[in-house]
Amino acid sequence: MSDELAATAKELDAGDELAAVRARFVLDDVVYLDGNSLGALPAAVPARIEDVIRREWGELRIRSWGESGWWTAPERIGDRIAPLVGAAAGQIVVGDSTSVNVLKALVGAVRLVDDAEDTGDIREPGYTGVVRDEIVVDATTFPTDGYIAESAARLTGRTLRPVPPGEVPAALSERTAAVLLNHADYRTGRLHDLPSLTAAVHAVGAIAVWDLCHSAGALPVGLDEHGVDLAVGCTYKYLNGGPGSPAYLYVRREHQDRFDSPLPGWNSHAEPFGMREDYEPARGALRGRVGTPDILSMLALETALDVWEGVSIEAVRAKSLALTDFFLECVAAYVPEGRVESLTPVRHEERGSQVALRCADAREVMRRLIERGIVGDFRRPDVLRFGFTPLYVGFADVERAARILAEELR
């Protein structure tokens, strides 16, 4: 069986239309299956950052804000991310962390609802006079999103209601102000139904906020197509921006003139160098900016996005599903029966770009895998998590990972 699956992997790699993209990254003989935590280094980034430091900062110094385009980086890079999440230009601004952007988006969402109710311009089926006093949050969310949601509820005088994603439609009502959901579950890789959940949120007149950290760069999102109101995401996972690279905020065009960020800063002012005492927000998604952009990591991200030249997100999704299918096939063939349990959905429409395996001694198993050059990660209490980044993971990598996993589990 091992020989057969190794031969299959070789055939699949030979027919992989994305195989050449691997050369755009700095890689070694390690099988790197942790790109859903930190993407690999794009090969062009070191030289770009050296130029930024030595020439733009070292020689041009403050002139680089204008001459090197530092000032416009947040929106310029946002426009490069936009096609990867299905958004038109002018709706994404890059900066700050995911956590900070969650706060902006969630408080901004509640303020959008409050403003609509004050003006009578609420979504269908219409404002009925009931106070929208609830924020619904994904009960399985990454902890920080939950912490921020709880704080946003206190800041806006709302009650926080944690609900499992599958139960969200039934939990929604005319009391719902905003809903914060994850597109893909960070533990299991389960992909939640963004189109139908967004439609359900809109049906009760609420605002939909999506966290795209585990889907952007791994699969089509369709923000514009599906009417998402606000979205946030990080750039250091499937977008390969580097450790701590800045996150982004999507503000749907129709909401931009009413989006009221809870973090107004001089960078989001209509006249940032006017130094006025009164705050007037900039036009468009720029009102999502706050303070001085983090230029070094911002420009590393901009160069990292060059790896997407000539790559379609649809091709990435097709390979992602093929990789995860093949990994599950290899695990079933190699691993002793009953030793692991897959938490990852079988159906493609419910699967992100990772596989999670429940294993009684998961922490120790992952430690040994890493020692043998198979890098995934461990999630408490008993989950082995493997992320599949189609831009640089091949089918031979997948077969090797499953085979070594089986050896350790025996």
Side-chain angles (χ1 to χ4, degrees):
M1 179 62 73
S2 176
D3 290 343
E4 292 178 12
L5 289 172
T8 299
K10 186 175 182 179
E11 291 178 10
L12 290 170
D13 280 331
D16 177 17
E17 65 177 285
L18 296 178
V21 180
R22 182 183 176 98
R24 301 177 188 178
F25 292 87
V26 176
L27 297 166
D28 48 26
D29 62 352
V30 166
V31 176
Y32 189 64
L33 301 180
D34 209 6
N36 53 334
S37 286
L38 176 64
L41 172 65
V45 169
R48 173 64 177 127
I49 292 304
E50 182 177 9
D51 182 62
V52 171
I53 292 173
R54 293 187 181 278
R55 183 180 63 83
E56 295 183 6
W57 180 12
E59 298 175 14
L60 295 178
R61 291 178 284 275
I62 200 166
R63 290 160 52 195
S64 279
W65 283 105
E67 293 182 25
S68 300
W70 288 2
W71 182 258
T72 59
E75 59 267 32
R76 182 178 72 242
I77 301 171
D79 284 348
R80 294 193 63 184
I81 292 173
L84 301 178
V85 292
Q91 299 176 100
I92 293 180
V93 64
V94 175
D96 306 309
S97 66
T98 306
S99 303
V100 171
N101 283 318
V102 169
L103 181 67
K104 295 179 201 173
L106 201 50
V107 173
V110 173
R111 290 178 175 178
L112 282 171
V113 165
D114 286 347
D115 177 67
E117 292 183 351
D118 288 342
T119 62
D121 183 27
I122 197 65
R123 288 181 180 273
E124 294 294 335
Y127 177 48
T128 63
V130 176
V131 176
R132 294 186 178 273
D133 58 359
E134 287 187 347
I135 294 175
V136 172
V137 64
D138 178 351
T140 63
T141 190
F142 188 76
T144 293
D145 282 23
Y147 307 153
I148 297 293
E150 194 277 332
S151 180
R154 285 189 284 114
L155 287 170
T156 59
R158 263 61 180 188
T159 298
L160 186 66
R161 186 178 181 186
V163 178
E167 300 174 17
V168 164
L172 300 175
S173 73
E174 55 194 10
R175 293 180 57 184
T176 308
V179 182
L180 172 63
L181 296 166
N182 287 268
H183 196 191
D185 187 292
Y186 79 99
R187 293 184 188 87
T188 66
R190 177 176 292 277
L191 187 67
H192 300 304
D193 191 341
L194 182 147
S196 68
L197 287 171
T198 300
V201 172
H202 289 169
V204 298
I207 298 292
V209 182
W210 284 92
D211 183 329
L212 309 177
C213 285
H214 284 269
S215 58
L219 51 93
V221 177
L223 293 179
D224 287 354
E225 177 186 358
H226 302 304
V228 170
D229 301 295
L230 301 164
V232 302
C234 66
T235 62
Y236 49 78
K237 300 183 189 296
Y238 297 108
L239 298 182
N240 309 294
S245 58
Y248 57 90
L249 170 68
Y250 165 88
V251 183
R252 190 171 183 81
R253 198 175 307 279
E254 67 191 69
H255 295 314
Q256 290 178 1
D257 62 347
R258 294 189 299 115
F259 180 70
D260 183 8
S261 171
L263 297 173
W266 77 281
N267 244 244
S268 63
H269 199 287
E271 298 180 33
F273 294 99
M275 304 303 167
R276 290 162 37 188
E277 292 184 7
D278 61 308
Y279 179 73
E280 178 187 351
R283 294 180 62 84
L286 292 183
R287 59 181 61 192
R289 293 174 65 153
V290 183
T292 305
D294 40 354
I295 290 300
L296 295 183
S297 57
M298 187 88 67
L299 298 184
L301 167 63
E302 183 171 36
T303 300
L305 292 171
D306 289 346
V307 301
W308 289 91
E309 183 178 352
V311 176
S312 75
I313 195 65
E314 290 76 18
V316 167
R317 176 57 168 167
K319 183 178 175 182
S320 166
L321 292 172
L323 287 169
T324 50
D325 278 343
F326 188 56
F327 183 68
L328 290 169
E329 179 184 353
C330 291
V331 167
Y334 293 164
V335 174
E337 187 174 354
R339 192 66 174 84
V340 298
E341 173 194 358
S342 176
L343 303 178
T344 299
V346 174
R347 298 175 61 196
H348 285 178
E349 59 268 33
E350 296 178 352
R351 187 192 307 168
S353 198
Q354 70 181 51
V355 171
L357 301 176
R358 177 170 285 147
C359 176
D361 48 349
R363 182 194 291 274
E364 175 61 18
V365 169
M366 184 54 69
R367 184 190 67 79
R368 297 200 306 266
L369 286 175
I370 292 172
E371 287 180 350
R372 296 189 61 182
I374 309 298
V375 178
D377 65 12
F378 160 76
R379 284 291 178 266
R380 294 183 179 180
D382 56 1
V383 175
L384 300 169
R385 197 177 70 156
F386 303 95
F388 296 84
T389 305
L391 298 184
Y392 53 76
V393 173
F395 293 91
D397 295 327
V398 167
E399 189 276 334
R400 177 183 166 196
R403 178 165 31 84
I404 293 178
L405 171 64
E407 292 172 4
E408 292 301 325
L409 291 178
R410 293 194 186 101

